[in-house]
Amino acid sequence: MAIDPALGQLDYCYLTTTGRVSGEPREIEIWFGLRDDTVYMLSGGGDRSDWVRNLMADPAVSVRLGDTTFRGSARVVDDPDEQAAARPLVHGKYASGPDHMANWRDHGLPVAVDLEA
């Protein structure tokens, strides 16, 4: 699927998960990076964040980029090479200097959403 790379320049994306207890949709506004058809995010709360717990229970999510909503499958990024690419992609978009938010970059939990056509 070809996603307009300009969508990656937006300030935020909107991730909707399904509540693991309620079964209701839960939407958050979150910083992100876009590479091809994958959206990357970093969870500062690691796997303790509700949104991460939700997607671990049910990986079927939606991501809104501007006026376009995509369905996708979310996952925690375990592969070290993919983590090494995802961290600077997201951090570099928002950091104002080399050490700005370095702890978030280095210790945030990388999450990926592989978007569907």
Side-chain angles (χ1 to χ4, degrees), residues 71-102:
R71 292 189 310 172
S73 181
R75 60 190 167 80
V76 171
V77 178
D78 294 322
D79 177 70
D81 291 335
E82 190 176 14
Q83 284 186 6
R87 290 179 185 282
L89 176 69
V90 179
H91 175 262
K93 183 175 172 182
Y94 299 99
S96 60
D99 294 323
H100 187 240
M101 303 184 304

Side-chain angles (χ1 to χ4, degrees), residues 5-13 31-32 64-67 93-94:
L7 293 174
Q9 301 306 310
L10 295 169
D11 290 334
Y12 305 98
C13 75
W31 287 349
F32 74 103
R64 183 165 40 96
L65 298 169
D67 295 329
K93 183 175 172 182
Y94 299 99

Side-chain angles (χ1 to χ4, degrees), residues 17-97:
T17 60
T18 300
R20 65 194 178 284
V21 175
S22 70
E24 297 294 321
R26 302 292 184 217
E27 182 181 75
I28 62 167
E29 177 182 79
I30 189 165
W31 287 349
F32 74 103
L34 178 66
R35 186 180 70 195
D36 300 324
D37 61 352
T38 302
V39 175
Y40 290 98
M41 297 156 272
L42 293 175
S43 171
D47 63 4
R48 297 176 316 279
S49 296
D50 283 331
W51 66 273
V52 174
R53 289 180 178 185
N54 289 345
L55 65 82
M56 289 172 70
D58 183 354
V61 301
S62 65
V63 176
R64 183 165 40 96
L65 298 169
D67 295 329
T68 306
T69 300
F70 301 90
R71 292 189 310 172
S73 181
R75 60 190 167 80
V76 171
V77 178
D78 294 322
D79 177 70
D81 291 335
E82 190 176 14
Q83 284 186 6
R87 290 179 185 282
L89 176 69
V90 179
H91 175 262
K93 183 175 172 182
Y94 299 99
S96 60

